[in-house]
Amino acid sequence: MTVTSYNPADPTDLVLSVDAAGAAGTRAAVERARAAQPGWYAAGAAARAAAPGRAADAVEAAAEELAALAVREVGKPLAEALAEAARAVAILRYYAQAPYAPVGAVHDTAAGPGLLLTRRRPHGVAGLVTPWNFPLAIPVWKAAPALATGNTAVLKPAPEATACALRLAELLALPEGVLTVVPGGAEEGAALIDAADVVSFTGSTAVGQRVVAATAARGIPAQAELGGLNAAIVLPDADVEQAADHLAAAVAGYAGQKCTATGQVIAVGAAYEPLREALAKRLAAADRGPVIGEAALDRLTGAVGSARDAGATVLTGGGRTPGPGWGFEPALLADVPADHPLRTEEYFGPIAVLLPAADLDEAIALANAGRHTLAASVHTHDLDTALAAADRLAAGMIRVNAPTTGVDFHLPFGGTGSAGYGGREQGSAALEFYTASRTVTLLPGA
């Protein structure tokens, strides 16, 4: 099998063609990683801290090159690609300090002399399965904590982002077997999940549920970030123009191809009419970058068509843009029936549904009704309202007077319901996920 990636802005532009690793090649990569892991862990904190520090310098020096590659391979706008490269650098530097963090605690025994210790140890080989939409940041935020805690890693990127992953691994320049990229698709992903000692997956809900089942059957830890159908609540006292700016960015930024993108806009009471007008206007003028491929474009246009047939009103957008790439007009729809997939599923594109709510209680009920509760935003000038909403929203991440998009890499990342499974990513939470706690009892000899 050959792995290929094409420029979504110009589908005739072949970015990369490389042989897939295959199941046997993936298993071999895991065995090399397993052989390298004891030495990597035994090298000590200083070595495991120095490596990401050097890698950060290398990625920073190549930031413009990496950004240009991300623009070409996955259609990311240049400003966002540059920001993603900078984020990868910051993540590497953050985790460069992690090997020096405490890995356990000392306790007194319940009775008599002795000592009790807890100590966190690496699992072994981390299997990392990553998507195409953040081809630099997501591989780094999975690999950096895994490696800092003494694991080795095998990375299986999405086929559409293989060139970015391979170049990133070159720049990280880690010892043989410490980080290996295996090009491929479902076959390689399944082989990696079947062989690794701990698995971190980001991708679709359907595939993620199979990953969770497979890892549970093997009795190994797994985390799965499965996307989100994210809600934004706009209260009557909010600055509607500012809220519309935030929402347009969260709906249409990078063509809506972020798991934290806004898919449902809930306008409370008198906020509905002015928000409807302001948001439709901004989405009509939004940057119309490409979606990742023809299948994604067909799914989005099909969703708009079926919603219209079901009685929905298309306030703006919803069609294919002229030109050679996979362009889609950012869309806002009203009057979408509650049972339509746009109300229940993530479409991973610049498309949102506008919903009215009589009050905050109804708005929160609408926001919490879905099964993909990853992120939510609340727009209001009232602090009490903001705090009340934050307490009652089910989402794993709640942002006030800010877009649903945007993640602080030093804090836990993840959702609830079908949006995520297992331990949180990023920050110190990731260090816990990639390690297991062991309890040691030391008693005096006879």
Side-chain angles (χ1 to χ4, degrees):
M1 173 185 169
T2 301
V3 176
T4 56
S5 67
Y6 288 87
N7 182 345
D10 179 6
T12 65
D13 177 21
L14 175 64
V15 179
L16 177 77
S17 178
V18 64
D19 290 338
T26 302
R27 288 191 292 267
V30 172
E31 289 310 309
R32 291 194 299 273
R34 186 162 284 121
Q37 191 273 327
W40 175 247
Y41 180 59
R48 285 183 278 115
R54 291 192 299 268
D57 292 341
V59 172
E60 186 173 48
E64 292 188 2
E65 173 203 343
L66 287 171
L69 182 57
V71 170
R72 184 180 173 212
E73 187 170 39
V74 301
K76 180 154 285 196
L78 179 58
E80 290 206 26
L82 288 167
E84 185 180 349
R87 182 175 171 186
V89 171
I91 292 168
L92 287 165
R93 289 185 173 144
Y94 173 84
Y95 285 112
Q97 304 303 311
Y100 294 112
V103 294
V106 179
H107 303 264
D108 286 335
T109 61
L115 201 62
L116 299 177
L117 307 176
T118 60
R119 188 179 185 189
R120 303 197 70 86
R121 302 287 296 275
H123 294 293
V125 179
L128 314 177
V129 181
T130 58
W132 49 262
N133 61 325
F134 284 88
L136 308 175
I138 292 182
V140 168
W141 89 40
K142 291 182 187 295
L147 299 175
T149 50
N151 301 277
T152 51
V154 176
L155 168 64
K156 206 296 289 181
E160 298 90 340
T162 303
C164 285
L166 290 171
R167 181 62 182 130
L168 188 61
E170 289 177 352
L171 290 167
L172 298 187
L174 292 160
E176 176 69 23
V178 172
L179 175 65
T180 305
V181 176
V182 289
E187 178 184 354
E188 290 74 14
L192 179 56
I193 290 158
D194 192 49
D197 302 310
V198 57
V199 170
S200 181
F201 169 89
T202 299
S204 71
T205 299
V207 176
Q209 289 173 339
R210 294 198 293 271
V211 169
V212 170
T215 53
R218 294 187 56 220
I220 65 169
Q223 61 184 190
E225 196 280 289
L226 308 178
L229 179 56
N230 307 299
I233 297 174
V234 182
L235 278 297
D237 71 315
D239 182 331
V240 170
E241 296 300 318
Q242 180 190 68
D245 287 338
H246 289 162
L247 294 173
V251 171
Y254 188 26
Q257 297 172 127
K258 302 176 182 180
C259 58
T260 53
T262 297
Q264 299 196 66
V265 177
I266 303 168
V268 178
Y272 185 87
E273 290 300 334
L275 183 64
R276 169 179 168 144
E277 180 180 349
L279 183 55
K281 180 179 179 181
R282 281 163 174 78
L283 288 176
D287 180 24
R288 299 178 179 183
V291 295
I292 192 63
E294 186 174 16
L297 179 59
D298 289 344
R299 186 164 184 254
L300 292 165
T301 55
V304 172
S306 68
R308 184 188 288 113
D309 292 343
T313 302
V314 180
L315 301 176
T316 189
R320 178 172 180 166
T321 59
W326 309 119
F328 176 78
E329 298 172 335
L332 181 66
L333 290 82
D335 310 313
V336 178
D339 61 350
H340 190 275
L342 281 173
R343 295 280 301 274
T344 60
E345 302 296 332
E346 178 188 46
Y347 270 80
F348 220 62
I351 185 169
V353 172
L354 179 63
L355 304 171
D359 52 28
L360 182 62
D361 289 342
E362 184 180 0
I364 289 175
L366 287 168
N368 289 347
R371 62 192 183 102
H372 303 291
T373 45
L374 174 60
S377 67
V378 180
H379 302 263
T380 178
H381 282 155
D382 187 85
L383 179 60
D384 289 343
T385 299
L387 292 174
D391 280 343
R392 297 169 60 192
L393 285 165
M397 297 178 293
I398 299 160
R399 293 165 61 82
V400 176
N401 295 324
T404 54
T405 51
V407 176
D408 297 297
F409 65 81
H410 56 297
L411 295 178
F413 174 82
T416 60
S418 296
Y421 172 89
R424 293 293 198 239
E425 297 196 80
Q426 305 194 132
S428 60
L431 302 176
E432 295 186 5
F433 171 72
Y434 287 109
T435 55
S437 179
R438 300 180 181 184
T439 299
V440 180
T441 302
L442 300 175
L443 299 179

